[in-house]
Amino acid sequence: MAGASDEHSTAKLLALLGGITSVLSILAWLGVSNAAELKDLLTDAPPSSASASPTPNAPPSTVHAPGGSGTGGGSTHTSGAEPSTPAPDPTEKAFKAISAGDCLAVYDTGHGGSATIDWSVDAPPDPVSCAAEQAQVKVTATDTACPTGQDKSYWSHRSATTGNTTKLCLTRIYHYGHCLLGRQAGDAITFGFMTAVDCRRKMVPAPYNQIMHITGVYRAPAGANANNCLRAAGDQTRYWAVLVDDGAVLLCTTIYQGG
């Protein structure tokens, strides 16, 4: 009986060893080499960070533009009209075409009163000869602080297109026989130095009330006054005279009487 028991025990041991060998074969096929890995496999636990490796070429997360539907795999495009080119400013172009030394057939109409100049045109015309009778102002400088004086002014334009301001500094040119506006109060007459007017005009803009006729444009002598305006011995004409061009020129005038 003892021999039979030993043979039975040996058979059980061999069967156990065979089973273990089968299990080890299965674990090797699954890639499990120790008990910890077997535990991870059986509990479906994720691999630890030490053994984790990034997925190569993983696709980036999808980011949807604000207001988008959040669906679809297409690219997001931004569309819009091309920025338009501002239309050129012809007035600014006309101002920039003028240079110091140019003379213009431009004058104050007087409709702005004595405090504001109302230029006869909206934009500078082509220059004329400074010796021509059409020349009413001379450009002495551009885009700078302009000199001041009773026969000096400036003309500027701010472009709504570019935002730039162009300025012309001007000095009045006076011609014998021409007329300008005046404002008489008693015996005194104040001139609209930058104005020009048709001598035969019947009405004048307020606050002016006289048309002054230029009877002489002279180089001013020392101590010049209205007596230097007399054109002949015994001349009884009433003259109103003023120094212009920084005192270098004597401007002689009378109230226009027609003719």
Side-chain angles (χ1 to χ4, degrees):
M1 293 296 291
S5 176
D6 290 340
E7 289 178 359
H8 180 70
S9 298
T10 300
K12 288 177 64 178
L13 178 60
L14 291 175
L16 178 60
L17 292 175
I20 292 172
T21 301
S22 298
V23 170
L24 291 176
S25 298
I26 293 172
L27 292 176
W29 180 78
L30 293 174
V32 176
S33 60
N34 54 55
E37 291 183 357
L38 177 61
K39 181 180 179 181
D40 289 342
L41 178 65
L42 293 176
T43 59
D44 197 25
S48 64
S49 59
S51 62
S53 60
T55 303
N57 301 320
S61 301
T62 302
V63 179
H64 299 287
S69 64
T71 60
S75 301
T76 300
H77 298 283
T78 302
S79 62
E82 291 292 331
S84 59
T85 302
D89 182 349
T91 303
E92 181 182 49
K93 183 179 179 181
F95 268 84
K96 288 187 175 299
I98 303 302
S99 303
D102 288 343
C103 289
L104 306 173
V106 173
Y107 56 90
D108 178 12
T109 67
H111 288 286
S114 57
T116 304
I117 290 181
D118 176 52
W119 295 109
S120 54
V121 293
D122 294 330
D126 292 337
V128 297
S129 169
C130 293
E133 289 207 358
Q134 304 99 297
Q136 300 295 328
V137 293
K138 182 174 183 178
V139 180
T140 58
T142 62
D143 298 328
T144 188
C146 296
T148 59
Q150 55 195 10
D151 59 331
K152 296 177 175 60
S153 188
Y154 67 89
W155 190 11
S156 64
H157 169 71
R158 185 181 186 278
S159 172
T161 301
T162 65
N164 297 327
T165 298
T166 309
K167 180 189 285 187
L168 306 179
C169 302
L170 307 174
T171 294
R172 182 74 159 86
I173 299 173
Y174 300 102
H175 300 279
Y176 168 79
H178 287 203
C179 288
L180 65 157
L181 295 170
R183 180 176 59 185
Q184 184 172 16
D187 197 42
I189 293 181
T190 302
F191 296 88
F193 286 98
M194 302 303 292
T195 66
V197 64
D198 183 344
C199 295
R200 295 177 298 276
R201 186 168 179 174
K202 301 300 183 182
M203 301 292 292
V204 297
Y208 300 106
N209 54 16
Q210 293 291 0
I211 293 177
M212 307 304 296
H213 188 214
I214 299 174
T215 60
V217 183
Y218 308 119
R219 183 180 299 275
N225 56 43
N227 291 327
N228 298 109
C229 296
L230 300 177
R231 290 172 284 182
D235 186 356
Q236 298 299 310
T237 305
R238 177 63 190 274
Y239 293 97
W240 281 265
V242 64
L243 293 172
V244 295
D245 195 14
D246 300 322
V249 172
L250 176 66
L251 182 67
C252 297
T253 71
T254 64
I255 295 175
Y256 184 73
Q257 302 296 329

